[in-house]
Coordinates of all heavy atoms in Angstrom, one line a residue:
Chain A
I119 N 164.7 192.6 67.0 CA 163.9 191.4 66.6 C 164.8 190.4 65.9 O 164.4 189.3 65.6 CB 162.7 191.8 65.7 CG1 163.2 192.4 64.4 CG2 161.7 192.6 66.4 CD1 162.1 192.3 63.3
E120 N 166.1 190.8 65.7 CA 167.0 189.8 65.0 C 167.0 188.5 65.7 O 167.1 187.4 65.1 CB 168.4 190.4 65.0 CG 168.7 191.1 63.7 CD 170.0 191.9 63.8 OE1 170.8 191.6 64.7 OE2 170.1 192.8 63.0
M121 N 166.9 188.5 67.1 CA 167.1 187.2 67.8 C 165.8 186.4 67.9 O 165.8 185.4 68.5 CB 167.7 187.5 69.1 CG 167.1 188.6 69.9 SD 168.1 189.1 71.3 CE 168.8 190.6 70.8
L122 N 164.7 187.0 67.3 CA 163.5 186.2 67.4 C 163.4 185.2 66.3 O 164.2 185.2 65.3 CB 162.3 187.2 67.2 CG 162.1 188.2 68.3 CD1 161.0 189.2 67.9 CD2 161.9 187.6 69.6
D123 N 162.5 184.2 66.5 CA 162.4 183.1 65.4 C 161.7 183.7 64.2 O 161.2 184.8 64.2 CB 161.8 181.9 66.0 CG 160.3 182.0 66.2 OD1 159.6 182.7 65.5 OD2 159.8 181.3 67.1
A124 N 161.7 182.9 63.1 CA 161.2 183.4 61.8 C 159.8 183.8 61.9 O 159.5 184.9 61.3 CB 161.4 182.3 60.7
L125 N 158.9 183.0 62.5 CA 157.6 183.4 62.6 C 157.3 184.7 63.4 O 156.5 185.5 63.0 CB 156.7 182.2 63.2 CG 155.2 182.5 63.2 CD1 154.6 182.7 61.9 CD2 154.5 181.2 63.8
D126 N 158.0 184.8 64.4 CA 158.0 186.1 65.2 C 158.3 187.3 64.4 O 157.7 188.3 64.4 CB 158.9 186.0 66.5 CG 158.3 185.2 67.6 OD1 157.2 184.8 67.5 OD2 159.1 184.9 68.6
R127 N 159.4 187.1 63.6 CA 159.8 188.2 62.8 C 158.8 188.6 61.8 O 158.5 189.7 61.5 CB 161.2 187.9 62.1 CG 162.3 188.0 63.1 CD 163.7 188.1 62.3 NE 163.9 187.0 61.4 CZ 164.6 185.9 61.7 NH1 165.1 185.8 62.9 NH2 164.8 185.0 60.8
E128 N 158.2 187.6 61.2 CA 157.2 187.7 60.2 C 155.9 188.5 60.8 O 155.4 189.4 60.2 CB 156.7 186.4 59.6 CG 156.2 186.5 58.2 CD 155.9 185.2 57.6 OE1 156.7 184.2 57.9 OE2 155.0 185.0 56.8
I129 N 155.6 188.1 62.0 CA 154.5 188.7 62.7 C 154.8 190.1 63.0 O 154.0 191.0 62.9 CB 154.1 187.9 64.0 CG1 153.4 186.6 63.6 CG2 153.2 188.7 64.9 CD1 153.0 185.7 64.7
F130 N 156.0 190.3 63.5 CA 156.4 191.7 63.7 C 156.3 192.6 62.5 O 155.8 193.7 62.6 CB 157.9 191.7 64.2 CG 158.5 193.1 64.3 CD1 158.2 193.8 65.5 CD2 159.2 193.7 63.3 CE1 158.7 195.2 65.5 CE2 159.7 195.0 63.3 CZ 159.4 195.7 64.5
R131 N 156.8 192.1 61.4 CA 156.7 192.8 60.2 C 155.3 193.1 59.8 O 154.9 194.3 59.4 CB 157.4 192.1 59.0 CG 158.8 192.5 58.9 CD 159.4 191.9 57.6 NE 159.4 190.5 57.5 CZ 160.4 189.7 58.0 NH1 161.5 190.3 58.5 NH2 160.4 188.4 57.9
A132 N 154.4 192.1 59.9 CA 153.0 192.3 59.5 C 152.3 193.3 60.4 O 151.5 194.1 59.9 CB 152.3 190.9 59.6
V133 N 152.6 193.3 61.7 CA 151.9 194.2 62.6 C 152.5 195.6 62.6 O 151.8 196.6 62.6 CB 151.9 193.6 64.0 CG1 151.4 194.6 65.0 CG2 151.1 192.3 64.1
F134 N 153.9 195.7 62.6 CA 154.5 197.0 62.8 C 154.9 197.7 61.6 O 154.9 198.9 61.5 CB 155.7 196.9 63.7 CG 155.3 196.6 65.2 CD1 155.2 195.3 65.7 CD2 155.1 197.7 66.0 CE1 154.9 195.1 67.0 CE2 154.7 197.5 67.3 CZ 154.6 196.2 67.8
W135 N 155.2 196.9 60.5 CA 155.7 197.6 59.3 C 154.5 197.8 58.3 O 154.4 198.8 57.7 CB 156.8 196.8 58.7 CG 158.1 197.0 59.4 CD1 158.3 197.7 60.6 CD2 159.4 196.6 59.0 NE1 159.6 197.7 61.0 CE2 160.3 197.0 60.0 CE3 159.9 195.9 57.9 CZ2 161.7 196.8 59.9 CZ3 161.2 195.7 57.8 CH2 162.1 196.2 58.8
E136 N 153.8 196.7 58.2 CA 152.7 196.8 57.2 C 151.5 197.5 57.7 O 150.7 198.0 56.9 CB 152.3 195.3 56.7 CG 153.5 194.7 56.0 CD 153.3 193.2 55.8 OE1 152.1 192.7 56.0 OE2 154.3 192.5 55.6
G137 N 151.4 197.6 59.0 CA 150.4 198.5 59.6 C 149.0 197.8 59.6 O 148.8 196.7 59.3
E140 N 145.8 194.4 64.3 CA 146.3 193.0 64.4 C 145.5 192.0 63.6 O 146.0 191.1 63.1 CB 146.3 192.6 65.9 CG 147.5 193.2 66.6 CD 147.4 193.2 68.1 OE1 146.5 192.5 68.6 OE2 148.1 194.0 68.7
D142 N 144.1 192.7 60.7 CA 144.5 192.7 59.3 C 145.8 191.9 59.2 O 146.0 191.2 58.2 CB 144.9 194.2 58.9 CG 143.7 195.1 59.0 OD1 142.5 194.6 58.9 OD2 143.8 196.3 59.2
A143 N 146.7 192.1 60.1 CA 148.0 191.4 60.1 C 147.7 189.9 60.0 O 148.3 189.1 59.3 CB 148.8 191.7 61.2
W144 N 146.8 189.4 60.9 CA 146.5 188.0 60.9 C 145.9 187.5 59.6 O 146.3 186.5 59.1 CB 145.5 187.8 62.1 CG 144.6 186.7 62.0 CD1 143.2 186.7 61.9 CD2 144.9 185.3 62.0 NE1 142.7 185.4 61.8 CE2 143.7 184.5 61.9 CE3 146.1 184.6 62.1 CZ2 143.7 183.2 61.8 CZ3 146.1 183.2 62.0 CH2 144.9 182.5 61.9
E145 N 145.0 188.3 59.0 CA 144.5 187.9 57.7 C 145.6 187.8 56.7 O 145.6 186.8 55.9 CB 143.4 188.9 57.2 CG 142.3 189.3 58.2 CD 141.2 188.3 58.1 OE1 141.0 187.7 57.1 OE2 140.5 188.1 59.2
R146 N 146.5 188.8 56.7 CA 147.5 188.7 55.6 C 148.4 187.5 55.8 O 148.8 186.8 54.9 CB 148.4 190.0 55.7 CG 147.8 191.2 55.0 CD 148.8 192.3 54.8 NE 149.4 192.7 56.0 CZ 148.9 193.6 56.8 NH1 147.9 194.3 56.5 NH2 149.6 193.9 58.0
L147 N 148.8 187.3 57.1 CA 149.7 186.2 57.4 C 149.0 184.8 57.1 O 149.7 183.9 56.6 CB 150.0 186.2 58.9 CG 151.2 187.0 59.3 CD1 151.4 187.0 60.8 CD2 152.5 186.5 58.7
R148 N 147.7 184.8 57.3 CA 147.0 183.5 57.1 C 147.0 183.2 55.6 O 147.0 182.0 55.2 CB 145.6 183.7 57.6 CG 144.9 182.4 57.9 CD 143.6 182.7 58.4 NE 142.7 181.5 58.3 CZ 142.5 180.6 59.2 NH1 143.3 180.6 60.3 NH2 141.7 179.6 59.0
A149 N 146.9 184.2 54.8 CA 147.0 184.0 53.3 C 148.3 183.4 52.9 O 148.4 182.5 52.1 CB 146.8 185.3 52.6
R150 N 149.4 183.8 53.6 CA 150.7 183.3 53.3 C 151.0 181.9 54.0 O 151.7 181.1 53.5 CB 151.8 184.3 53.8 CG 152.0 185.4 52.9 CD 153.0 186.4 53.5 NE 152.4 187.7 53.8 CZ 152.9 188.6 54.7 NH1 154.0 188.3 55.4 NH2 152.3 189.8 54.8
R151 N 150.4 181.8 55.2 CA 150.6 180.6 56.0 C 149.3 179.9 56.4 O 148.9 180.2 57.5 CB 151.4 180.9 57.2 CG 152.9 181.3 57.1 CD 153.4 181.7 58.5 NE 154.8 181.9 58.5 CZ 155.6 181.0 59.0 NH1 155.2 179.9 59.5 NH2 156.9 181.3 59.0
P152 N 148.7 179.1 55.5 CA 147.4 178.6 55.8 C 147.3 177.7 57.1 O 146.3 177.6 57.7 CB 147.1 177.8 54.6 CG 148.1 178.1 53.6 CD 149.3 178.7 54.3
D153 N 148.5 177.2 57.5 CA 148.5 176.3 58.7 C 148.6 177.0 60.0 O 148.5 176.4 61.0 CB 149.7 175.3 58.5 CG 151.0 176.1 58.4 OD1 151.0 177.2 57.7 OD2 152.0 175.6 58.8
L154 N 148.7 178.4 59.9 CA 148.8 179.1 61.2 C 147.5 179.3 61.9 O 146.5 179.8 61.4 CB 149.3 180.6 60.8 CG 149.6 181.5 62.0 CD1 150.8 180.9 62.8 CD2 149.9 182.9 61.5
F159 N 149.2 182.4 66.4 CA 149.4 183.8 66.0 C 149.5 184.6 67.3 O 150.4 185.4 67.5 CB 148.3 184.3 65.1 CG 148.4 185.8 64.8 CD1 149.3 186.3 64.0 CD2 147.5 186.6 65.4 CE1 149.4 187.7 63.7 CE2 147.5 188.0 65.2 CZ 148.5 188.5 64.3
H162 N 152.6 184.0 69.4 CA 153.8 184.6 68.9 C 153.7 186.1 69.0 O 154.8 186.7 69.3 CB 154.0 184.1 67.4 CG 154.6 182.8 67.3 ND1 155.9 182.6 67.2 CD2 154.0 181.5 67.3 CE1 156.1 181.3 67.1 NE2 155.0 180.6 67.2
L163 N 152.6 186.6 68.8 CA 152.4 188.1 68.8 C 152.7 188.6 70.3 O 153.5 189.5 70.5 CB 151.0 188.5 68.5 CG 150.7 190.0 68.5 CD1 151.6 190.7 67.5 CD2 149.2 190.3 68.2
H165 N 154.6 187.1 72.3 CA 156.0 186.9 72.5 C 156.8 188.1 72.0 O 157.7 188.6 72.6 CB 156.4 185.6 71.9 CG 157.9 185.3 72.1 ND1 158.8 185.2 71.1 CD2 158.6 185.1 73.3 CE1 160.0 185.0 71.6 NE2 159.9 184.9 73.0
V166 N 156.4 188.5 70.8 CA 157.0 189.7 70.2 C 156.9 190.9 71.1 O 157.9 191.6 71.4 CB 156.4 190.0 68.8 CG1 156.9 191.3 68.3 CG2 156.8 188.9 67.8

Side-chain angles (χ1 to χ4, degrees):
Chain A
I119 59 160
E120 263 166 22
M121 49 192 105
L122 297 177
D123 72 32
L125 182 58
D126 280 350
R127 285 200 301 269
E128 206 174 327
I129 288 176
F130 171 84
R131 269 192 294 272
V133 172
F134 287 92
W135 284 10
E136 294 164 18
E140 277 162 21
D142 299 337
W144 154 243
E145 306 278 334
R146 278 196 306 271
L147 273 175
R148 202 178 158 89
R150 278 176 245 159
R151 286 176 173 259
D153 55 327
L154 183 67
F159 172 75
H162 280 267
L163 182 61
H165 184 243
V166 170

